[in-house]
Amino acid sequence: MKRIYKYLVILLCSAGAFSACEQVVDLPLPEYERQLATYSVLTLGEHPNILVNESSSYFDPIDRRDIINVINNASVIISEGSNSYVLEFDTLSYYTEWYYDSEQDEWIQDSIPFGSYTTDAFVAEVNKDYNLEISHDSRLLSGSTRIPNSGEILSSSHEVVDIEDIYLPDDWECWAIGVDVTFTDTADSNFYEIIWFQEYWQKDCGGGDSCLIDRYYWGTEWLSDESFNGTEVDYSTQVGYYCDPEGAPDPGPDPEFWTIYEMTISTLSKEAYAFKTSMDQQWDSEDNPFSEPVPLSSTVEGGIGLFGSRGQVGEPIRIKYTF
Amino acid sequence: MKKLFLLCIATILSLTSIAQNKYTISGVIKDADSQEDLIGANLYIPSITSGTISNSYGFYSLTLEEGVYQIIISYLGYEEQFKEIVLDQDIVLNIDLVEKQSSIGEIVITESRVKARENVERPVMGVMDITAKDIKEIPVIAGEKDLLKALQLLPGVQSGSEGTAGFYVRGGGPDQNLILLDEAVIYNPFHLFGFFSVFNVDAIKNVELIKGGFPSKYGGRLSSILDISLKDGSKTSFHGEGGIGSISSRLTLEGPIVKDKASFIISGRRTYLDQLILLSLRGASAEIREQVPQIFFYDLNAKLNWQVTDKDRLYLSGYFGQDKFKFKSVADNLEFSVPWGNTSATARWNHIFGKKLFLNTSAVYTNYDFAFELKQTSSDTAANSNLELKVSTGIEDWTGKMDFDYYPNVNHDVKFGLNYTYHTFTPTTSKTFLAVLDSTISSPVDRRYVTELAAYVSDEIDISDRFSAYVGLRFPGFIYKKTNYFGVEPRLIGNLKLNNNSSIKASYTMMNQYIHLVTNSTLSFPWDIWIPSSDIIKPKRSHQVSAGYFLNFKEDEYEASVEAYYKDMSNMIEYKEGADIFLPDTLEKQLEFGKGNSYGAEFFIKRRSGRLNGWMGYTLSWSNREFAGLNGGRAFPAKYDRRHDLSFVAIYDFNKMWSFSAAFVYGSGHSLTLPVGRVWIPNSDNLDGSGNFFSDYTDRNGFKLNSYNRLDLGIKRTKHRKRFDSIFRFDIYNVYSRRNPYFVYLDQENDDLSNVNSFVARQVSLLPVIPSVSWNFKF
């Protein structure tokens, strides 16, 4: 449906054969004050890992080699009860990003500075309240979160299901793995995140040992328990689409290659759920010039970003897929 | 509540018995030439400084003490008549008024002074009348006379986006305007995605816009009532009217079926924009021509009326209009078509009981449909991989009404009636045909069947020479499944004459709105969805108070007013942030409910006579909304919040042949939510270094677009022949080619050499200077 908007703009501009209906304009925007930003999700049983960076004016030019605006000299303190922990900036690393240079007709590699604050003085514990304070350059950012309860996976099953792909000729056959999971919906946990990863494995990488060839992020879903019964969450999905004109290959009893889909279910704090879903909605709405924009549901005071937390629901579910 | 209603009726009927030795003069006021009923014609009796006006069917009734009276009968654009009557028995006096030869025969236009006196005499507030003549004189775009664009030039009425006919009244949303065409509700009054309205001016007899001080006869919307009456058709002779414009042509024919007894009118319009675009691409390849978007609209109005007896009259009228937008993309192997349109039919029976009671009974059907049809074919030859999709939404109403006008004596004008509407809402349905499955998959049809009903009563009372009042009550009801809403809506207006030329007025009205338009867009699109109230969606409600000073001067040549208003609105609806509007089964879950208010002042001055006439309006206003789930719970400006709105219209008649018109509008920029900052956010909680930019927005609608201003000029040459008038118009829309904002979007510019990206704001402006020529004729 979004495609309509593109065509609508074409139509509106062509309707009266109006030339140059579009122009770059200077908008009288208020002066934008750069703000402290953070992204920090405390994970049950793990040490904190906190990104501190800075926002910038939307209309300032962006140097692609420094897009993150990492701040490496902030004061970052997490407190819990009477305990207070000072986090240190981890070693500055570089994140590699590729972009296509149309002038030179080649892909160029950028190394972008990156790093985060951490400590091994504590690990996040369930039902404890944590407060974050970040100060830098006379600015103070603060937030708080409670680590949500964890849950248990009560049952899980999967099976290969036939699916239809309307874009393929009818002599093609398509399959996917249908996955059904039931897990506990604990009293204090109302929000969930389900993350999928895909791994490629090879049976023999030399010496007879199998090895992981690659691991990719597959997707994320967020759930609020308002549509469940309060005691259990039933979740169903499909992963691993596969189509072949010859029909399903027989992987044999001992295939050479296989794929593993890994599903991790987490409980999320309310703040983490709100921020992550707003990120997702903003991403989706930005293609449509007529839609109301979706602001980020920032969960911190004095800046932008997320200070939230997560717990685990059982162990990750790993599904071997051999088509 | 039932008792209260009966008490009101009983009180009103008892007013009859108060009169002693009184007689009634009644009748119908008509156009002498065509025998069309004249709505709102004045009967004024100077000796008692009182009078009445004709109702929607030209009927009037006055009950007075026995005696001899001088009566002045007048109507906008018609010669005043003076009559002396000896009232010693009930009299039926049908009056024919003769149209002034204003624009074609004389130089000086003089509107009725009596009509002008309504400004200070009657307890009426927030009512703007605009004549078909006004609409025809105002400069136009592409030769298209447009009612809704003319309304945008009135104070308190704001335009939507550039060039569009959408209107917003006193801070209300587009769904808060009740638009009636011969009593049928028109749910989408726009053609061409809002650039033109569906009303063919040639077929219109009367237009009344009510912004506040709503009569109890009307209800169901919070912000305005736009009541449009179609012409009845001449009962005496055959006439025609039409025109050829830059993008459309139109033709209206009217005449008697049985002379002085029955008449017809039929009026049609069709655009040829699609053909013009194709014509402009004559040399282009077939592939390019095939891909040009095609859009056109047509509409048809028709009406029959039959004077069955002196006391009975029948009317049948209908409207049918359709838009179609088609687009084909060879590259994407897709073709889509978007048809939408309104259909309405109204049957009415007028009956006069005795001399004082008038009844109109109406049966009305109205329907609005929108569809989106997509056809995608595979790039290979496998036909069975094709896809066809149809998404549709709509609303259909069946309405029955009885409206009584009762004139017990000269000091009372009583109206009461009943109204019943059965709505069928189809918020969204979809059908998908998958060739690969050779089957059609239909979404569950979420039809909603709703009953809306109302009873009302009102009295316009002359309490003394200086003080008059309007007192009304409306009892609306709404039934949907097990959800019922009933209410009482008081309507009060007081008018205190300070002297012969000025008065102060105040009003209070309460309105409920049971049906709602939900839109996820900053513009109004035909696919916006109408939904009824439910147990989750409560009726919107408004309380509006207004007060004003009204002044006539220079012997009623000028009328002026200042009105201040405050409107409080509850149960307002917006989509949640990030809602998916194409999930109808969860529609209610995707809505946020909140409140709003709007307030401001409207200044208006109008010159009714002279070679140079016209008006100037200025509105200073605020409109705010507050929703717990939007903007962090903080109040924010409504998207149509506009601080200043100025309009100026001047029409100058040089002589019998030439006239000149100008319209200037200025408005503060519309509200918009814009990103002001950006921040890089990681993709995963593990902080592996991957991530994306996200936007840091202003508060919702926290940014104002550039102001809007525009000057339009028009010149008209009328050539009269014995039986044929030929009228050439030359208009220039947006004379100084102001690039007014239609919308703004943000675009990224990359400079690979410097490794620098930047964002720029691009403003889309649609309409630069547009000259147009049109030819109109009348016979």
Short mmCIF file of all heavy atoms in Angstrom, two decimals, chain A residues 229-276:
data_model
loop_
_atom_site.label_atom_id
_atom_site.label_comp_id
_atom_site.label_asym_id
_atom_site.label_seq_id
_atom_site.Cartn_x
_atom_site.Cartn_y
_atom_site.Cartn_z
N ASN A 229 -3.35 -15.08 28.20
CA ASN A 229 -4.24 -15.35 29.34
C ASN A 229 -3.62 -15.04 30.69
O ASN A 229 -4.24 -15.23 31.73
CB ASN A 229 -4.72 -16.81 29.30
CG ASN A 229 -3.56 -17.79 29.49
OD1 ASN A 229 -2.45 -17.38 29.84
ND2 ASN A 229 -3.82 -19.06 29.24
N GLY A 230 -2.41 -14.58 30.73
CA GLY A 230 -1.81 -14.20 32.02
C GLY A 230 -1.00 -15.29 32.67
O GLY A 230 -0.29 -15.05 33.65
N THR A 231 -1.11 -16.52 32.17
CA THR A 231 -0.31 -17.59 32.76
C THR A 231 0.64 -18.23 31.73
O THR A 231 1.72 -18.66 32.07
CB THR A 231 -1.21 -18.70 33.34
OG1 THR A 231 -2.08 -19.15 32.31
CG2 THR A 231 -2.02 -18.18 34.51
N GLU A 232 0.17 -18.28 30.48
CA GLU A 232 1.00 -18.87 29.43
C GLU A 232 0.96 -18.01 28.18
O GLU A 232 -0.04 -17.34 27.91
CB GLU A 232 0.47 -20.26 29.05
CG GLU A 232 0.64 -21.32 30.11
CD GLU A 232 0.06 -22.65 29.67
OE1 GLU A 232 -0.45 -22.75 28.54
OE2 GLU A 232 0.11 -23.57 30.48
N VAL A 233 2.04 -18.07 27.45
CA VAL A 233 2.08 -17.40 26.15
C VAL A 233 2.27 -18.46 25.08
O VAL A 233 3.20 -19.26 25.14
CB VAL A 233 3.25 -16.39 26.08
CG1 VAL A 233 3.35 -15.79 24.67
CG2 VAL A 233 3.09 -15.29 27.11
N ASP A 234 1.33 -18.49 24.10
CA ASP A 234 1.47 -19.40 22.95
C ASP A 234 1.98 -18.60 21.77
O ASP A 234 1.35 -17.63 21.35
CB ASP A 234 0.10 -20.01 22.60
CG ASP A 234 -0.39 -20.91 23.71
OD1 ASP A 234 0.41 -21.70 24.23
OD2 ASP A 234 -1.58 -20.81 24.08
N TYR A 235 3.09 -19.03 21.25
CA TYR A 235 3.72 -18.28 20.17
C TYR A 235 3.97 -19.22 19.00
O TYR A 235 4.50 -20.32 19.18
CB TYR A 235 5.03 -17.68 20.68
CG TYR A 235 5.89 -17.08 19.60
CD1 TYR A 235 5.54 -15.88 18.99
CD2 TYR A 235 7.06 -17.72 19.19
CE1 TYR A 235 6.33 -15.33 18.00
CE2 TYR A 235 7.86 -17.17 18.19
CZ TYR A 235 7.49 -15.98 17.60
OH TYR A 235 8.26 -15.43 16.62
N SER A 236 3.57 -18.77 17.81
CA SER A 236 3.79 -19.59 16.61
C SER A 236 4.42 -18.73 15.53
O SER A 236 4.08 -17.55 15.39
CB SER A 236 2.47 -20.13 16.06
OG SER A 236 1.86 -20.95 17.03
N THR A 237 5.30 -19.34 14.77
CA THR A 237 5.90 -18.60 13.66
C THR A 237 6.44 -19.59 12.64
O THR A 237 6.38 -20.81 12.84
CB THR A 237 7.02 -17.67 14.16
OG1 THR A 237 7.41 -16.79 13.11
CG2 THR A 237 8.24 -18.45 14.62
N GLN A 238 6.94 -19.04 11.55
CA GLN A 238 7.58 -19.88 10.53
C GLN A 238 8.95 -19.30 10.21
O GLN A 238 9.10 -18.08 10.13
CB GLN A 238 6.75 -19.90 9.24
CG GLN A 238 5.45 -20.67 9.38
CD GLN A 238 4.64 -20.67 8.09
OE1 GLN A 238 4.93 -19.92 7.17
NE2 GLN A 238 3.64 -21.52 8.04
N VAL A 239 9.91 -20.16 10.03
CA VAL A 239 11.25 -19.72 9.63
C VAL A 239 11.76 -20.67 8.54
O VAL A 239 11.20 -21.75 8.33
CB VAL A 239 12.26 -19.73 10.81
CG1 VAL A 239 11.92 -18.65 11.81
CG2 VAL A 239 12.32 -21.10 11.48
N GLY A 240 12.84 -20.24 7.89
CA GLY A 240 13.54 -21.14 6.97
C GLY A 240 12.79 -21.45 5.71
O GLY A 240 12.58 -22.61 5.37
N TYR A 241 12.36 -20.43 4.99
CA TYR A 241 11.65 -20.67 3.72
C TYR A 241 12.61 -21.31 2.72
O TYR A 241 13.76 -20.91 2.59
CB TYR A 241 11.11 -19.35 3.17
CG TYR A 241 10.23 -18.64 4.14
CD1 TYR A 241 10.68 -17.52 4.83
CD2 TYR A 241 8.94 -19.10 4.40
CE1 TYR A 241 9.88 -16.88 5.74
CE2 TYR A 241 8.13 -18.47 5.32
CZ TYR A 241 8.60 -17.34 5.99
OH TYR A 241 7.81 -16.73 6.89
N TYR A 242 12.09 -22.26 2.00
CA TYR A 242 12.92 -22.96 1.02
C TYR A 242 12.04 -23.39 -0.15
O TYR A 242 10.97 -23.96 0.05
CB TYR A 242 13.56 -24.20 1.67
CG TYR A 242 14.53 -24.91 0.78
CD1 TYR A 242 15.87 -24.53 0.75
CD2 TYR A 242 14.10 -25.96 -0.05
CE1 TYR A 242 16.76 -25.17 -0.10
CE2 TYR A 242 14.99 -26.60 -0.88
CZ TYR A 242 16.31 -26.21 -0.91
OH TYR A 242 17.19 -26.85 -1.75
N CYS A 243 12.48 -23.08 -1.36
CA CYS A 243 11.70 -23.44 -2.55
C CYS A 243 12.62 -24.12 -3.56
O CYS A 243 13.80 -23.75 -3.67
CB CYS A 243 11.09 -22.20 -3.21
SG CYS A 243 9.84 -21.39 -2.19
N ASP A 244 12.08 -25.07 -4.28
CA ASP A 244 12.90 -25.78 -5.26
C ASP A 244 11.99 -26.35 -6.35
O ASP A 244 10.96 -26.93 -6.05
CB ASP A 244 13.65 -26.93 -4.56
CG ASP A 244 14.80 -27.42 -5.42
OD1 ASP A 244 14.53 -27.84 -6.58
OD2 ASP A 244 15.94 -27.36 -4.95
N PRO A 245 12.38 -26.18 -7.64
CA PRO A 245 11.53 -26.72 -8.70
C PRO A 245 11.56 -28.24 -8.77
O PRO A 245 10.67 -28.86 -9.33
CB PRO A 245 12.14 -26.09 -9.97
CG PRO A 245 13.55 -25.77 -9.61
CD PRO A 245 13.55 -25.47 -8.15
N GLU A 246 12.57 -28.82 -8.19
CA GLU A 246 12.71 -30.28 -8.25
C GLU A 246 12.01 -30.95 -7.08
O GLU A 246 12.07 -32.16 -6.94
CB GLU A 246 14.20 -30.66 -8.20
CG GLU A 246 15.04 -30.00 -9.28
CD GLU A 246 14.62 -30.44 -10.67
OE1 GLU A 246 14.23 -31.61 -10.81
OE2 GLU A 246 14.64 -29.60 -11.59
N GLY A 247 11.42 -30.20 -6.25
CA GLY A 247 10.85 -30.79 -5.04
C GLY A 247 11.88 -30.80 -3.93
O GLY A 247 13.02 -30.36 -4.13
N ALA A 248 11.50 -31.30 -2.81
CA ALA A 248 12.38 -31.26 -1.65
C ALA A 248 13.57 -32.20 -1.84
O ALA A 248 13.39 -33.37 -2.17
CB ALA A 248 11.61 -31.69 -0.40
N PRO A 249 14.78 -31.70 -1.65
CA PRO A 249 15.94 -32.61 -1.75
C PRO A 249 15.96 -33.53 -0.53
O PRO A 249 15.52 -33.15 0.54
CB PRO A 249 17.12 -31.64 -1.75
CG PRO A 249 16.64 -30.42 -1.04
CD PRO A 249 15.18 -30.33 -1.32
N ASP A 250 16.47 -34.69 -0.75
CA ASP A 250 16.59 -35.60 0.38
C ASP A 250 17.92 -35.33 1.07
O ASP A 250 18.98 -35.54 0.49
CB ASP A 250 16.53 -37.04 -0.12
CG ASP A 250 16.63 -38.04 1.02
OD1 ASP A 250 16.72 -37.58 2.19
OD2 ASP A 250 16.63 -39.23 0.74
N PRO A 251 17.89 -34.83 2.26
CA PRO A 251 19.15 -34.47 2.91
C PRO A 251 19.97 -35.69 3.31
O PRO A 251 21.16 -35.59 3.58
CB PRO A 251 18.70 -33.71 4.15
CG PRO A 251 17.32 -34.21 4.42
CD PRO A 251 16.73 -34.58 3.10
N GLY A 252 19.34 -36.87 3.30
CA GLY A 252 20.08 -38.07 3.70
C GLY A 252 20.24 -38.11 5.20
O GLY A 252 19.98 -37.15 5.91
N PRO A 253 20.71 -39.22 5.69
CA PRO A 253 20.85 -39.37 7.15
C PRO A 253 21.98 -38.53 7.72
O PRO A 253 21.97 -38.19 8.91
CB PRO A 253 21.12 -40.86 7.32
CG PRO A 253 21.69 -41.30 6.01
CD PRO A 253 21.11 -40.42 4.97
N ASP A 254 22.92 -38.18 6.91
CA ASP A 254 24.09 -37.48 7.44
C ASP A 254 24.51 -36.38 6.46
O ASP A 254 25.48 -36.53 5.71
CB ASP A 254 25.23 -38.50 7.62
CG ASP A 254 26.34 -37.92 8.47
OD1 ASP A 254 26.11 -36.84 9.08
OD2 ASP A 254 27.42 -38.53 8.51
N PRO A 255 23.77 -35.29 6.41
CA PRO A 255 24.02 -34.28 5.37
C PRO A 255 25.37 -33.60 5.54
O PRO A 255 25.92 -33.52 6.63
CB PRO A 255 22.88 -33.28 5.58
CG PRO A 255 22.49 -33.45 7.00
CD PRO A 255 22.73 -34.87 7.34
N GLU A 256 25.84 -33.05 4.41
CA GLU A 256 27.14 -32.38 4.38
C GLU A 256 27.06 -30.99 5.02
O GLU A 256 27.96 -30.54 5.69
CB GLU A 256 27.61 -32.28 2.93
CG GLU A 256 29.03 -31.81 2.74
CD GLU A 256 30.06 -32.78 3.31
OE1 GLU A 256 29.80 -34.03 3.36
OE2 GLU A 256 31.14 -32.31 3.71
N PHE A 257 25.91 -30.31 4.72
CA PHE A 257 25.69 -28.96 5.27
C PHE A 257 24.34 -28.92 5.96
O PHE A 257 23.44 -29.65 5.59
CB PHE A 257 25.71 -27.90 4.15
CG PHE A 257 27.03 -27.78 3.46
CD1 PHE A 257 27.29 -28.49 2.29
CD2 PHE A 257 28.01 -26.93 3.98
CE1 PHE A 257 28.52 -28.38 1.65
CE2 PHE A 257 29.23 -26.82 3.32
CZ PHE A 257 29.48 -27.55 2.17
N TRP A 258 24.24 -28.08 6.90
CA TRP A 258 22.93 -27.85 7.51
C TRP A 258 22.84 -26.43 8.07
O TRP A 258 23.83 -25.73 8.20
CB TRP A 258 22.61 -28.89 8.60
CG TRP A 258 23.53 -28.85 9.78
CD1 TRP A 258 23.39 -28.10 10.90
CD2 TRP A 258 24.71 -29.63 9.96
NE1 TRP A 258 24.40 -28.35 11.77
CE2 TRP A 258 25.24 -29.29 11.22
CE3 TRP A 258 25.39 -30.60 9.17
CZ2 TRP A 258 26.41 -29.84 11.73
CZ3 TRP A 258 26.53 -31.16 9.69
CH2 TRP A 258 27.04 -30.77 10.94
N THR A 259 21.59 -26.08 8.36
CA THR A 259 21.32 -24.76 8.92
C THR A 259 20.71 -24.94 10.30
O THR A 259 19.94 -25.89 10.52
CB THR A 259 20.31 -23.99 8.03
OG1 THR A 259 20.85 -23.93 6.72
CG2 THR A 259 20.07 -22.59 8.55
N ILE A 260 21.06 -24.07 11.19
CA ILE A 260 20.42 -24.08 12.51
C ILE A 260 19.76 -22.73 12.74
O ILE A 260 20.37 -21.68 12.51
CB ILE A 260 21.44 -24.38 13.62
CG1 ILE A 260 21.82 -25.86 13.56
CG2 ILE A 260 20.88 -24.01 15.00
CD1 ILE A 260 22.80 -26.29 14.61
N TYR A 261 18.50 -22.82 13.10
CA TYR A 261 17.80 -21.59 13.51
C TYR A 261 17.77 -21.56 15.03
O TYR A 261 17.35 -22.53 15.66
CB TYR A 261 16.38 -21.56 12.95
CG TYR A 261 16.39 -21.27 11.47
CD1 TYR A 261 16.39 -22.30 10.54
CD2 TYR A 261 16.46 -19.96 11.02
CE1 TYR A 261 16.46 -22.04 9.19
CE2 TYR A 261 16.53 -19.68 9.66
CZ TYR A 261 16.52 -20.72 8.75
OH TYR A 261 16.60 -20.45 7.43
N GLU A 262 18.18 -20.43 15.56
CA GLU A 262 18.23 -20.32 17.02
C GLU A 262 17.26 -19.23 17.47
O GLU A 262 17.32 -18.10 16.99
CB GLU A 262 19.64 -19.96 17.47
CG GLU A 262 19.76 -19.89 18.99
CD GLU A 262 21.15 -19.38 19.40
OE1 GLU A 262 22.07 -20.20 19.41
OE2 GLU A 262 21.27 -18.18 19.70
N MET A 263 16.38 -19.61 18.37
CA MET A 263 15.40 -18.67 18.87
C MET A 263 15.67 -18.40 20.34
O MET A 263 15.72 -19.34 21.15
CB MET A 263 13.99 -19.24 18.71
CG MET A 263 12.91 -18.35 19.28
SD MET A 263 11.23 -18.95 18.98
CE MET A 263 11.18 -20.34 20.02
N THR A 264 15.81 -17.13 20.67
CA THR A 264 16.02 -16.77 22.08
C THR A 264 14.85 -15.91 22.54
O THR A 264 14.54 -14.89 21.91
CB THR A 264 17.32 -15.96 22.25
OG1 THR A 264 18.39 -16.71 21.66
CG2 THR A 264 17.61 -15.68 23.71
N ILE A 265 14.21 -16.36 23.62
CA ILE A 265 13.08 -15.59 24.15
C ILE A 265 13.55 -14.91 25.43
O ILE A 265 14.15 -15.53 26.30
CB ILE A 265 11.88 -16.50 24.47
CG1 ILE A 265 11.51 -17.33 23.24
CG2 ILE A 265 10.68 -15.68 24.94
CD1 ILE A 265 10.43 -18.37 23.49
N SER A 266 13.25 -13.61 25.52
CA SER A 266 13.63 -12.85 26.71
C SER A 266 12.41 -12.13 27.26
O SER A 266 11.51 -11.76 26.50
CB SER A 266 14.68 -11.79 26.38
OG SER A 266 15.77 -12.36 25.72
N THR A 267 12.41 -11.94 28.56
CA THR A 267 11.46 -10.99 29.13
C THR A 267 12.10 -9.61 29.03
O THR A 267 13.33 -9.47 29.10
CB THR A 267 11.14 -11.31 30.60
OG1 THR A 267 12.39 -11.40 31.31
CG2 THR A 267 10.40 -12.62 30.74
N LEU A 268 11.29 -8.62 28.87
CA LEU A 268 11.80 -7.26 28.75
C LEU A 268 11.17 -6.37 29.80
O LEU A 268 10.00 -6.56 30.17
CB LEU A 268 11.45 -6.66 27.39
CG LEU A 268 12.22 -7.08 26.15
CD1 LEU A 268 11.76 -6.22 24.97
CD2 LEU A 268 13.72 -6.92 26.33
N SER A 269 11.94 -5.40 30.26
CA SER A 269 11.33 -4.38 31.11
C SER A 269 10.42 -3.53 30.25
O SER A 269 10.54 -3.50 29.02
CB SER A 269 12.41 -3.51 31.73
OG SER A 269 13.08 -2.77 30.74
N LYS A 270 9.52 -2.83 30.90
CA LYS A 270 8.56 -1.99 30.18
C LYS A 270 9.29 -0.95 29.33
O LYS A 270 8.91 -0.66 28.19
CB LYS A 270 7.66 -1.29 31.20
CG LYS A 270 6.54 -0.51 30.59
CD LYS A 270 5.70 0.13 31.69
CE LYS A 270 4.59 0.98 31.06
NZ LYS A 270 3.82 1.67 32.09
N GLU A 271 10.38 -0.41 29.90
CA GLU A 271 11.12 0.64 29.18
C GLU A 271 11.74 0.09 27.91
O GLU A 271 11.68 0.72 26.85
CB GLU A 271 12.26 1.22 30.04
CG GLU A 271 11.86 1.73 31.41
CD GLU A 271 11.86 0.62 32.44
OE1 GLU A 271 12.84 -0.14 32.52
OE2 GLU A 271 10.86 0.51 33.16
N ALA A 272 12.31 -1.11 28.04
CA ALA A 272 12.98 -1.70 26.87
C ALA A 272 11.96 -2.01 25.78
O ALA A 272 12.20 -1.77 24.60
CB ALA A 272 13.73 -2.96 27.28
N TYR A 273 10.80 -2.52 26.18
CA TYR A 273 9.75 -2.84 25.20
C TYR A 273 9.30 -1.56 24.49
O TYR A 273 9.19 -1.52 23.25
CB TYR A 273 8.57 -3.50 25.93
CG TYR A 273 7.38 -3.76 25.04
CD1 TYR A 273 7.34 -4.88 24.21
CD2 TYR A 273 6.31 -2.87 25.00
CE1 TYR A 273 6.25 -5.12 23.39
CE2 TYR A 273 5.22 -3.10 24.18
CZ TYR A 273 5.20 -4.22 23.38
OH TYR A 273 4.13 -4.45 22.55
N ALA A 274 9.05 -0.50 25.27
CA ALA A 274 8.55 0.74 24.67
C ALA A 274 9.57 1.32 23.70
O ALA A 274 9.23 1.75 22.59
CB ALA A 274 8.22 1.75 25.77
N PHE A 275 10.82 1.34 24.10
CA PHE A 275 11.84 1.96 23.25
C PHE A 275 12.07 1.14 21.98
O PHE A 275 12.12 1.67 20.87
CB PHE A 275 13.14 2.10 24.04
CG PHE A 275 14.18 2.90 23.30
CD1 PHE A 275 14.15 4.29 23.34
CD2 PHE A 275 15.18 2.28 22.56
CE1 PHE A 275 15.09 5.04 22.65
CE2 PHE A 275 16.13 3.03 21.87
CZ PHE A 275 16.09 4.41 21.93
N LYS A 276 12.17 -0.16 22.14
CA LYS A 276 12.47 -1.00 20.97
C LYS A 276 11.32 -0.99 19.96
O LYS A 276 11.55 -0.94 18.75
CB LYS A 276 12.76 -2.44 21.41
CG LYS A 276 14.14 -2.60 22.05
CD LYS A 276 14.22 -3.91 22.80
CE LYS A 276 15.60 -4.14 23.37
NZ LYS A 276 16.42 -5.03 22.54
#
